[in-house]
Amino acid sequence: MPDFIANDFSAIARAMRREAPLATRVVLHFRYRLTSLTSEYESVDAAVAEAFELWTDLTTDPEYITAADGTVLMGRDALIEAMTHYAERRPI
């Protein structure tokens, strides 16, 4: 590969995007009364929006968001902060 291409940051970024894995579904974990429940979403933004709706309706207590493989993406504190941003119409 020629040096001028290797030093081209936009070319590097394009190559990284091509090699990036596709986004996986995320799982919202929440509590309804004494039962732990989960719900799947296409994106973290959609899960945060649903968590906010459930929380404002006093239906459930959102706990955290994970990837489909169980990796925690947002703990409780981060989820609360994201819901606050969502309520204020700021980026999550």
Side-chain angles (χ1 to χ4, degrees), residues 69-87:
D69 66 359
T71 305
V72 176
L73 301 175
M74 278 190 186
R76 182 162 175 76
D77 293 339
L79 180 55
I80 290 171
E81 184 176 342
M83 289 189 302
T84 302
H85 287 200
Y86 177 81

Side-chain angles (χ1 to χ4, degrees), residues 1-55:
M1 175 185 308
D3 289 336
F4 69 91
I5 293 177
N7 292 328
D8 183 5
F9 292 116
S10 60
I12 295 168
R14 284 192 302 276
M16 289 173 65
R17 276 195 298 273
R18 281 193 303 267
E19 294 174 9
L22 296 174
T24 59
R25 298 178 65 84
V26 298
V27 180
L28 171 64
H29 297 261
F30 54 95
R31 194 168 279 287
Y32 178 71
R33 299 185 187 195
L34 297 176
T35 306
S36 290
L37 301 171
T38 61
S39 185
E40 265 190 33
Y41 298 91
E42 291 292 325
S43 68
V44 172
D45 292 341
V48 169
E50 183 65 22
F52 178 76
E53 295 301 321
L54 293 171
W55 187 55

